[in-house]
Amino acid sequence: MELTGAKYQRNLTTWVEFILLGFSDIPELQRFLFWIFLIMYMIILLGNSLIIIVTKVDSCLQTPMYFFLRNFSTLEICYVSVTVPRLLADLCRQNRNISFLACATQMFFFLVLGATECFILTAMSYDRYVAICNPLLYPLIMNTRLCMQLAIGCWLSAVPLELGFTYLIFSQHFCGPNQLDHFFCDVPPVLKLACGNTFMIEMLLYVVAFIVATVPFMLILGSYVKIISTILKLPSATGRAKAFSTCSSHLMVVGLFFGSAILTYMRPKSSHSVGVDRLVSLFYTIVTPMFNPMIYCLRNKDVMVALKKFFTKLIVLPFTSIILKS
């Protein structure tokens, strides 16, 4: 009975920090993974920064479409910066402890920025819907005031929802092992460590995921059904090709992000496995944000032209002025 009581007391111990295991199960790849993730992180920062600068300074890109793209690129930088710097630091050290407060803060910002990304992608699809389905009314509908309201709404609307959800998760009692088998504080791995019945939290997770991911995804699909049907009715083949090229990059980003996010948060708890969860999480936290600037730049002629003009001014003009002075 004494042994049982001691074991019972140990099980009731409340932890004040987690240990992020990350990729500690493959120690021989730590250095390799560090350089891979660092390169990917730098590509994300550089690519999105270039999009922000170019869409801001180029007079030809002062349209609602590029206003939302600039917001999206800013969001991508914030989104990856919530998880990747911590991941890089953990790959270089043995102590991977993270306090409850730091873990809750990371989860909150990750959830808020993920929801914001869903909303901004929805706003971008609405912009394309108005531009293609109501081109004559486009300047009136997508005016500066509406664009600002949509952007502010996208950035702020998820804050109270995710704040309350994060509070509910970390108000649970954690009395089991404190080893978090993940590389950041995501919802499914944290819930695995909670004691007691987490059924209501899991059901709430589905509700939140439905509100911030499934509903925007269905709105995007609905808008693109209308967009594609309108494009197919265009008499000019050139016009159809131009309209499709404008929308295809956005559709690719939507498919990559929503597909991986829904796969993570809408799956039943019983189907979760450590390897699959980490792989899917890597995909939507690092891989997809790395490809997004490439998709928007390489598939958008206007952005490519603006980039060429930007680099010409940045490199050629200073070089020319040096020659003239000499």
Side-chain angles (χ1 to χ4, degrees):
M1 288 297 294
E2 289 181 3
L3 289 174
T4 304
K7 184 177 180 181
Y8 180 72
Q9 289 296 326
R10 284 198 301 270
N11 286 341
L12 284 181
T13 301
T14 301
W15 298 105
V16 295
E17 64 181 11
F18 291 125
I19 300 172
L20 285 170
L21 295 182
F23 298 93
S24 58
D25 55 333
I26 43 175
E28 67 279 2
L29 293 178
Q30 299 288 296
R31 183 171 296 182
F32 173 75
L33 290 175
F34 172 82
W35 288 109
I36 290 293
F37 294 146
L38 179 61
I39 291 169
M40 295 171 75
Y41 185 48
M42 296 307 295
I43 290 172
I44 293 168
L45 295 183
L46 180 61
N48 284 290
S49 297
L50 278 175
I51 290 177
I52 293 168
I53 294 169
V54 167
T55 56
K56 186 70 176 177
V57 301
D58 195 290
S59 58
C60 299
L61 303 183
Q62 304 306 308
T63 64
M65 174 181 173
Y66 296 107
F67 168 78
F68 288 116
L69 180 56
R70 185 161 59 250
N71 272 268
F72 182 73
S73 293
T74 304
L75 173 64
E76 288 285 77
I77 291 174
C78 299
Y79 180 69
V80 297
S81 296
V82 171
T83 57
V84 178
R86 169 81 200 202
L87 171 59
L88 293 173
D90 285 344
L91 287 169
C92 297
R93 63 189 176 190
Q94 295 297 319
N95 183 9
R96 298 175 179 179
N97 294 5
I98 181 169
S99 68
F100 267 30
L101 179 60
C103 191
T105 303
Q106 186 185 53
M107 180 185 289
F108 167 69
F109 281 107
F110 179 77
L111 292 176
V112 167
L113 294 171
T116 303
E117 185 155 344
C118 295
F119 298 152
I120 285 186
L121 287 171
T122 307
M124 293 171 77
S125 70
Y126 176 70
D127 171 72
R128 291 299 85 208
Y129 165 76
V130 177
I132 292 171
C133 299
N134 297 287
L136 296 178
L137 296 176
Y138 181 69
L140 295 175
I141 297 175
M142 298 303 295
N143 54 58
T144 303
R145 182 181 178 183
L146 179 62
C147 290
M148 289 297 297
Q149 289 174 341
L150 284 173
I152 293 170
C154 289
W155 280 94
L156 298 181
S157 57
V159 171
L161 179 66
E162 301 297 2
L163 181 62
F165 184 61
T166 305
Y167 174 78
L168 284 177
I169 290 175
F170 282 88
S171 63
Q172 299 295 300
H173 191 58
F174 295 92
C175 57
N178 68 333
Q179 294 183 334
L180 194 65
D181 206 347
H182 209 50
F183 62 90
F184 73 100
C185 292
D186 203 359
V187 177
V190 171
L191 276 181
K192 283 183 181 179
L193 302 184
C195 301
N197 190 354
T198 59
F199 177 77
M200 292 304 297
I201 298 286
E202 291 168 27
M203 290 301 101
L204 184 60
L205 172 61
Y206 293 134
V207 172
V208 172
F210 181 78
I211 293 171
V212 304
T214 308
V215 171
F217 184 62
M218 296 305 295
L219 289 173
I220 292 170
L221 284 183
S223 66
Y224 270 99
V225 168
K226 296 258 188 182
I227 288 170
I228 292 171
S229 64
T230 302
I231 290 173
L232 292 175
K233 294 175 184 177
L234 294 175
S236 168
T238 306
R240 288 196 297 271
K242 185 177 180 181
F244 271 123
S245 66
T246 303
C247 300
S248 59
S249 56
H250 183 244
L251 269 177
M252 290 175 67
V253 171
V254 166
L256 288 170
F257 179 76
F258 279 96
S260 55
I262 290 173
L263 182 63
T264 298
Y265 294 104
M266 298 300 285
R267 281 187 299 152
K269 185 180 179 181
S270 58
S271 67
H272 283 272
S273 67
V274 174
V276 174
D277 286 351
R278 280 195 306 191
L279 184 62
V280 174
S281 297
L282 277 176
F283 193 78
Y284 69 78
T285 56
I286 303 178
V287 177
T288 299
M290 183 185 69
F291 283 122
N292 288 348
M294 302 179 193
I295 292 170
Y296 277 115
C297 290
L298 297 177
R299 298 186 61 86
N300 191 308
K301 292 181 180 178
D302 293 335
V303 175
M304 289 299 292
V305 170
L307 281 171
K308 289 177 182 177
K309 286 163 58 179
F310 174 74
F311 282 116
T312 299
K313 290 180 181 178
L314 190 67
I315 299 170
V316 176
L317 291 181
F319 184 71
T320 305
S321 63
I322 292 171
I323 292 174
L324 291 174
K325 287 180 180 179
S326 60

